[in-house]
Amino acid sequence: MKQVSFGVLLACALTAVAGVVAQVPPPKDAEAVLSKSYTGKSYSPYAGRGFPSRPFWGDTHLHTDISMDAGAFGNRLGLDAAYRFARGDEVVSTNGTPARLSRPLDFLVIADHSDNMGFFPDLRAGERHIISDPTGRDWYERIKRGEGVGVALELIGLFSQGKFPPSLVYLPDSAPYKSAWAKTIDAAERYNDPGRFTAFIGYEWTSLVTGNNMHRVVIYRDDGRKAGQTVPFTTIPPQGSTNPRDLWKWLADYEKKTGGDVLAIAHNGNLANGIMFPLTKQYDGKRLDKTYVTQRARWEPLYEATQIKGDGESHPFLSPNDEFADYENWDIGNLDVSVAKTNDMLAGEYAREALKRGLAIEARLGTNPYKFGMIGSTDSHTSLATAGEDNFFGKHTGAEPGPERMSHLFMQTDAGSIMGWQQVASGLAAVWATENTREALFDAMARKETYATTGSRLMVRFFGGWNYTKQDLNSRQPAFAGYAKGVPMGGDLTAAPSKKSPTFMVYAVRDPIGANLDRIQIVKGWLEGGKTHEKVYTVAWSGDRKKGADGKVPPVGNTVDVKSATWTNTIGASELAVVWTDPDFDPEQRAFYYARVIEIPTPRWSTYDAFRFGVPLPEGVPTSTQERAYTSPIWYTPAKAQSGGKKHRRRK
């Protein structure tokens, strides 16, 4: 008898069983066999899933050599290098250093300055119409001698104060300007790869009111056929204006003319000297009215809460009871440091205070103009979108890696100075979208389903509702309950059910190649008796630390070895999650809530510099940092005030 192996017998048996099973008819009602507590309609919970399943990572604020200040600082990398770097390629920086991201970005907005777009490449080339002007020739010769940083600061100062030589202005109807814009559009079209990498068409509207920063990044949902029908809005009259109201009119005119879609993102406000988020009147003395608040709410759904020029979430002066409000603040003066900062300016500059002001304005005028979501971006002028502490290439080419960049003067005037080490390795925009396309990402930005990080790629989800439970978290797929029972970050809660307080479900997972998590906090702001208030609740934390009577949790510890610029994940948690109910809820009070997730300490970029270049840290420089994320808020509006909470963005 021929021998048959056990494996063959087993295979035959399994085949026979499979044949029998295949003949068993399915239940008449397939859904009837599913547990009543299971909310899916199919056994596979992912079948039919229509909500975003992952965050996409990007930078919405990057400058190339087309921007006149970036070029003057020495940037020699153009549009192609910026896109190749963002999608993961290795490039050589202007100072000759090979550079590459740890992981590619998913999307990029090259936001070169709208004013004088294309001027610097012509200045560098010594175009006749530029060097025939005495000032143009002086700049040209100084740049050739390697004095570009000084030229850049002079350009910024003259432009900030409205004194840029008229003969050297590139107006948007000029041929060189139109050529630069066409090149910008063409590059975005060439690198846009739907599903893999999104290249948005965009620019930065560079409003400066006597040095006070009012910049906005404009992003198009559209392709070049629509974006190319107009040129960017600028600030120099008669074509341009420094007033945001005029930018919003330009945005409306663009959509009316092309049938396209655009939005604007306000630059972080810590260089605005108080005019970014007015409470009663604009910088020009004109009082806020219904037109202002409705237009701002419509056109500016997002705020750049963190970037290289400082973090903009909050400030110790504004939030004295928040021990984490002192993160990388820039509070010296305005953009060109022509006017020193005073404490009374701070409330008009930081995100948390703006969110509070929005509640008060909504109660007065019916619409909240500062109902924005949070994102971070770099505002790098090197063409390199680097936000990692261990891979930071600085604000501009004069601040790329080198042994002296920490101790050089970044900016100095009679009003104050900024040192090189005060640059911040920040930040990134995280967008919860259904796919990596211009349309899906733009729509997610418009609905504010976004969050900001200071450079880490930790994952955060934040939902608000009235009926979340711990079981929703224990499912390990909390997003299903998150969307089914409430709203995600950027959403609105309806009027409170009787005798119910809102519940918030928040969970965070560490960056796969990053640091463990220290804690999750929920920041609440509310309006009571005509005055705004805030409170920070620590709702989840790692380890066995105990919350004190003051509601604060002790520090997580610090594993950073400064000498070797290393750290370990022996403290903290890889993930944190909680369902939290507001213990102080009043259904009659307008309120907002957002989550702040903080990592354990890791080496700051300056510590990496000290180790790699073998130089001492300047006195007073922090050796470690605690990277963090800020989610977009969730707003609560009482029933009697619901008319002011309507949506202001339309989607096609």
Side-chain angles (χ1 to χ4, degrees):
M1 180 177 179
K2 184 177 179 181
Q3 290 187 337
V4 180
S5 70
F6 175 77
V8 172
L9 290 173
L10 179 60
C12 293
L14 290 176
T15 301
V17 171
V20 173
V21 171
Q23 298 175 36
V24 177
K28 292 182 180 180
D29 184 357
E31 292 188 12
V33 302
L34 296 176
S35 167
K36 291 182 179 180
S37 63
Y38 177 67
T39 58
K41 292 185 178 181
S42 166
Y43 180 83
S44 172
Y46 314 108
R49 178 176 58 193
F51 57 79
S53 60
R54 57 155 289 191
F56 293 96
W57 295 97
D59 186 351
T60 63
H61 193 173
L62 182 71
H63 295 269
T64 72
D65 65 345
I66 290 179
S67 291
M68 67 175 180
D69 54 351
F73 274 123
N75 185 1
R76 299 296 180 265
L77 300 184
L79 297 161
D80 288 279
Y83 281 123
R84 288 193 295 107
F85 182 79
R87 72 181 186 184
D89 296 353
E90 182 173 308
V91 304
V92 177
S93 76
T94 296
N95 73 1
T97 303
R100 190 174 187 177
L101 290 171
S102 63
R103 292 153 289 179
L105 294 179
D106 297 305
F107 65 91
L108 179 68
V109 181
I110 291 180
D112 281 313
H113 295 300
S114 61
D115 280 272
N116 265 15
M117 184 177 286
F119 167 78
F120 185 80
D122 285 355
L123 171 63
R124 187 176 68 215
E127 293 292 338
R128 183 177 300 177
H129 66 280
I130 293 178
I131 62 174
S132 62
D133 181 277
T135 302
R137 175 171 287 277
D138 174 61
W139 290 343
Y140 172 72
E141 292 177 347
R142 287 162 62 191
I143 288 169
K144 286 184 68 176
R145 295 197 301 266
E147 301 172 8
V149 172
V151 172
L153 295 176
E154 186 174 323
L155 288 170
I156 293 170
L158 290 171
F159 185 79
S160 298
Q161 300 301 318
K163 297 179 180 179
F164 197 88
S167 60
L168 297 177
V169 172
Y170 273 29
L171 293 174
D173 58 359
S174 67
Y177 190 105
K178 290 180 178 179
S179 176
W181 180 234
K183 291 176 182 177
T184 299
I185 292 175
D186 176 68
E189 295 290 74
R190 284 188 288 110
Y191 283 94
N192 189 54
D193 187 5
R196 297 182 180 180
F197 179 81
T198 295
F200 281 103
I201 299 169
Y203 66 87
E204 183 176 16
W205 175 69
T206 320
S207 171
L208 285 168
V209 180
T210 60
N212 299 335
N213 188 321
M214 294 280 283
H215 298 186
R216 266 77 166 173
V217 170
V218 174
I219 301 177
Y220 296 73
R221 189 176 187 263
D222 311 316
D223 61 18
R225 290 173 296 176
K226 290 183 178 180
Q229 294 181 37
T230 64
V231 290
F233 190 58
T234 58
T235 66
I236 297 176
Q239 293 98 328
S241 166
T242 58
N243 196 319
R245 291 176 184 257
D246 294 322
L247 172 67
W248 303 332
K249 182 179 183 302
W250 182 94
L251 298 172
D253 289 345
Y254 168 83
E255 290 198 348
K256 182 178 180 180
K257 177 179 180 177
T258 67
D261 285 284
V262 282
L263 60 78
I265 302 172
H267 187 290
N268 74 323
N270 57 1
L271 300 179
N273 272 12
I275 68 172
M276 181 60 81
F277 299 112
L279 181 60
T280 58
K281 59 184 178 181
Q282 269 192 285
Y283 68 91
D284 59 1
K286 187 172 182 179
R287 295 189 67 82
L288 303 192
D289 55 18
K290 289 187 177 181
T291 300
Y292 178 95
V293 298
T294 55
Q295 288 182 343
R296 184 156 184 170
R298 177 182 181 184
W299 297 113
E300 299 187 9
L302 300 177
Y303 176 57
E304 184 183 85
T306 184
Q307 62 137 279
I308 288 174
K309 296 198 300 292
D311 193 78
E313 186 227 357
S314 194
H315 188 281
F317 178 79
L318 303 171
S319 304
N321 296 321
D322 180 0
E323 71 267 41
F324 290 98
D326 62 346
Y327 184 79
E328 300 281 6
N329 296 132
W330 272 33
D331 51 10
I332 297 168
N334 55 359
L335 180 69
D336 59 354
V337 200
S338 58
V339 178
K341 189 82 66 190
T342 55
N343 286 339
D344 62 297
M345 299 175 181
L346 296 171
E349 299 185 347
Y350 285 84
R352 191 185 304 174
E353 193 66 27
L355 292 167
K356 289 159 59 179
R357 285 186 167 194
L359 299 178
I361 294 171
E362 183 180 27
R364 188 172 80 243
L365 295 175
T367 299
N368 183 345
Y370 310 138
K371 200 169 185 178
F372 52 73
M374 304 274 208
I375 61 161
S377 285
T378 65
D379 194 10
S380 170
H381 283 53
T382 65
S383 302
L384 306 176
T386 58
E389 299 289 340
D390 65 345
N391 194 30
F392 181 51
F393 274 68
K395 170 66 177 175
H396 58 72
T397 300
E400 288 188 8
E404 298 179 354
R405 71 164 168 169
M406 287 188 291
S407 56
H408 87 282
L409 277 167
F410 186 84
M411 179 81 75
Q412 184 178 35
T413 69
D414 293 339
S417 62
I418 301 171
M419 298 301 298
W421 63 262
Q422 290 178 282
Q423 299 171 90
V424 189
S426 189
L428 288 175
V431 178
W432 286 100
T434 53
E435 60 182 359
N436 188 2
T437 62
R438 284 173 177 165
E439 297 79 11
L441 291 169
F442 185 100
D443 292 351
M445 293 179 189
R447 68 175 182 263
K448 309 161 195 171
E449 198 167 352
T450 65
Y451 62 98
T453 83
T454 55
S456 172
R457 300 196 193 186
L458 67 160
M459 189 190 77
V460 187
R461 295 209 93 149
F462 181 50
F463 295 95
W466 305 102
N467 298 297
Y468 292 124
T469 66
K470 290 182 179 180
Q471 183 58 39
D472 295 328
L473 278 176
N474 294 340
S475 71
R476 301 300 300 170
Q477 292 293 336
F480 287 91
Y483 286 100
K485 299 168 68 174
V487 297
M489 59 182 79
D492 292 276
L493 288 178
T494 57
S498 179
K499 297 181 180 180
K500 280 230 174 188
S501 295
T503 57
F504 296 90
M505 182 167 61
V506 55
Y507 62 102
V509 180
R510 72 168 228 203
D511 183 329
I513 63 171
N516 276 344
L517 308 179
D518 169 10
R519 67 190 69 198
I520 296 176
Q521 298 176 309
I522 291 181
V523 179
K524 177 186 178 182
W526 71 96
L527 182 67
E528 180 179 6
K531 295 182 178 180
T532 58
H533 307 267
E534 68 175 64
K535 188 172 182 179
V536 179
Y537 300 85
T538 300
V539 297
W541 58 94
S542 61
D544 57 0
R545 292 171 287 167
K546 304 298 182 184
K547 184 183 290 188
D550 59 358
K552 298 185 184 301
V553 174
V556 68
N558 193 330
T559 68
V560 172
D561 184 328
V562 177
K563 290 184 179 180
S564 62
T566 58
W567 53 279
T568 66
N569 267 332
T570 53
I571 58 175
S574 60
E575 63 177 350
L576 292 171
V578 69
V579 171
W580 176 79
T581 302
D582 180 3
D584 306 308
F585 179 67
D586 185 332
E588 301 302 315
Q589 295 172 353
R590 301 172 190 267
F592 65 81
Y593 305 80
Y594 67 88
R596 180 172 67 183
V597 184
I598 300 177
E599 295 181 353
I600 67 171
T602 50
R604 193 176 183 270
W605 71 264
S606 44
T607 300
Y608 285 109
D609 269 25
F611 170 69
R612 291 172 183 173
F613 294 114
V615 297
L617 284 165
E619 185 177 354
V621 179
T623 57
S624 63
T625 184
Q626 285 190 263
E627 300 235 50
R628 56 202 61 197
Y630 313 123
T631 73
S632 293
I634 292 172
W635 288 266
Y636 167 75
T637 305
K640 62 183 180 182
Q642 282 289 313
S643 60
K646 61 184 179 181
K647 301 282 186 183
H648 294 282
R649 287 294 299 170
R650 57 166 174 77
R651 288 272 60 81
K652 295 180 177 179

